Amino acid sequence: MKIPYRVAAVLAVWLLAGGNGGEAVAQGNPATVQALMIQAQNDSAPMDRRLERVEFRLRRVFGFQFYRYLGEGSISLPPGGEGAIRLPDGHRLQIRLGGKGKAEVRWFRGDEALLSTSVGLSRDAPIVLGGIPANGGKIIIVLTEQ
Amino acid sequence: MKKSDARLISRGLDGSLSPEERQRMDALLAASAEARATRQAWEALGDGVRDHAARHPAPDPALAWQDIRREIRRLDAERQDAPDAGWLFRFRVAGAVAALVVIGLLGLSAWRLLEGPGASSFAATPLSERVEWVIAEVPGASTMIYTDPETELTVIWMDIAQIHDPRDS
């Protein structure tokens, strides 16, 4: 009777691997960090399906009427790993993963450092960096763990 | 000793003599040492039999038959179980492991519902855990940090409206 053994083994591996969708960073596994670059503005802009997961949230928090997709990038890092996500218009995020879901993020525009922070990344609770003026609006970067 | 005398002694020990036979047995015992020895030996034998019977009573036939049938069923069950004992053991172990895994998954799911990401955990997580520190590196800029439990957004906002970026022009 090998099937129960196999089922038990698969379930056990699934459980040990995080099972029902855990956060990789918090568990010490490699994690993928995604950065979504958006321009918030009051000038009219068409709806963009690439923003459908965050626009309704941003609209509740910020006073801007429109949100324009500028670009996105992602990077997979092991705990303690460091790398960069390159974004449009010379923007760049330097990211270093720490333990327990923490990440140190440094935001550059070209060679100019704009912001440094240490944040807890999450799949469902994004971190929003913003406030950089651009083209009559503000640049917003939404960080999530994938 | 004559056969009739031995029978008389035996019936005397059984208590089944008539008064006349009783007188004859008493006369025999008084006259014959062999008769007395025989009677004494048979009395001892009878006492031994009675003592043994008292210590080891004869089994009730109905109960004895039940014991036999029970033993037969037990032996049959052992014979049927013997070839598959290994399979049964493995099945039970696998079942126990699977049950433990399922319990673990349910526990982990419950824990994650209570402690994991979600509306309730967002509200319960202090801001200091979501944003450990912030440094605005643009000269003259200030930062605001705030959270919105409804959207679960944590915002780090730089107020640099008065800072002029040449590339914006």
Side-chain angles (χ1 to χ4, degrees):
Chain A
M1 191 63 181
K2 295 181 178 178
I3 291 176
Y5 273 127
R6 290 177 181 171
V7 171
V10 168
L11 288 173
V13 168
W14 184 53
L15 176 64
L16 292 173
N20 47 355
E23 295 177 26
V25 178
Q27 295 177 6
N29 298 324
T32 299
V33 181
Q34 186 189 43
L36 186 58
M37 187 170 172
I38 300 165
Q39 178 166 310
Q41 59 191 43
N42 289 318
D43 297 336
S44 177
M47 293 284 291
D48 193 324
R49 295 200 60 175
R50 290 171 292 188
L51 299 181
E52 63 183 4
R53 289 175 56 191
V54 295
E55 186 172 352
F56 71 98
R57 290 176 162 181
L58 298 175
R59 203 179 296 279
R60 286 175 181 266
V61 174
F62 298 111
F64 297 97
Q65 295 295 312
F66 299 97
Y67 297 85
R68 190 157 62 90
Y69 175 90
L70 296 179
E72 64 185 295
S74 63
I75 188 169
S76 293
L77 294 170
E82 186 169 354
I85 299 176
R86 299 194 178 278
L87 296 167
D89 198 23
H91 287 267
R92 171 170 55 94
L93 295 177
Q94 195 74 27
I95 297 174
R96 183 156 62 94
L97 280 188
K100 298 181 179 178
K102 296 291 183 186
E104 289 184 14
V105 181
R106 201 160 187 218
W107 183 1
F108 292 87
R109 181 166 57 184
D111 294 330
E112 178 190 13
L114 303 175
L115 179 79
S116 295
T117 184
S118 175
V119 295
L121 293 175
S122 169
R123 185 192 303 265
D124 300 317
I127 300 288
V128 179
L129 311 178
I132 304 297
N135 301 319
K138 302 284 188 181
I139 299 292
I140 289 173
I141 294 177
V142 179
L143 284 176
T144 53
E145 180 210 340
Q146 295 298 301
Chain B
M1 187 169 60
K2 293 189 293 190
K3 203 171 186 176
S4 59
D5 292 339
R7 188 178 297 118
L8 188 65
I9 293 170
S10 175
R11 292 181 59 209
L13 291 171
D14 292 337
S16 58
L17 295 177
S18 65
E20 294 172 1
E21 288 172 326
R22 183 81 187 174
Q23 288 177 356
R24 277 175 47 204
M25 187 189 75
D26 290 342
L28 176 65
L29 292 175
S32 170
E34 183 184 7
R36 288 194 299 272
T38 298
R39 184 178 187 274
Q40 193 171 11
W42 287 358
E43 275 184 331
L45 182 63
D47 289 340
V49 169
R50 279 189 292 273
D51 181 59
H52 184 271
R55 285 187 282 111
H56 303 285
D60 184 330
L63 294 176
W65 178 236
Q66 285 182 6
D67 291 343
I68 292 169
R69 293 178 63 185
R70 188 182 303 116
E71 186 67 8
I72 290 171
R73 285 197 301 271
R74 189 183 66 80
L75 292 174
D76 284 344
E78 281 184 2
R79 194 162 46 247
Q80 288 174 1
D81 289 347
D84 297 326
W87 173 86
L88 185 62
F89 177 74
R90 287 194 298 273
F91 182 79
R92 285 175 177 169
V93 169
V97 170
L100 286 174
V101 170
V102 169
I103 290 170
L105 286 173
L106 290 175
L108 188 62
S109 300
W111 176 75
R112 285 192 170 154
L113 280 175
L114 294 172
E115 302 294 333
S120 58
S121 70
F122 183 86
T125 304
L127 179 60
S128 60
E129 287 189 16
R130 288 193 287 268
V131 180
E132 211 165 26
W133 49 262
V134 176
I135 300 172
E137 304 206 44
V138 176
S142 60
T143 57
M144 292 182 293
I145 304 169
Y146 55 95
T147 62
D148 181 52
E150 188 177 355
T151 60
E152 299 189 342
L153 291 180
T154 299
V155 179
I156 302 172
W157 192 258
M158 278 190 292
D159 184 10
I160 52 174
Q162 69 275 28
I163 304 298
H164 175 68
D165 181 354
R167 283 180 289 186
D168 285 345
S169 58

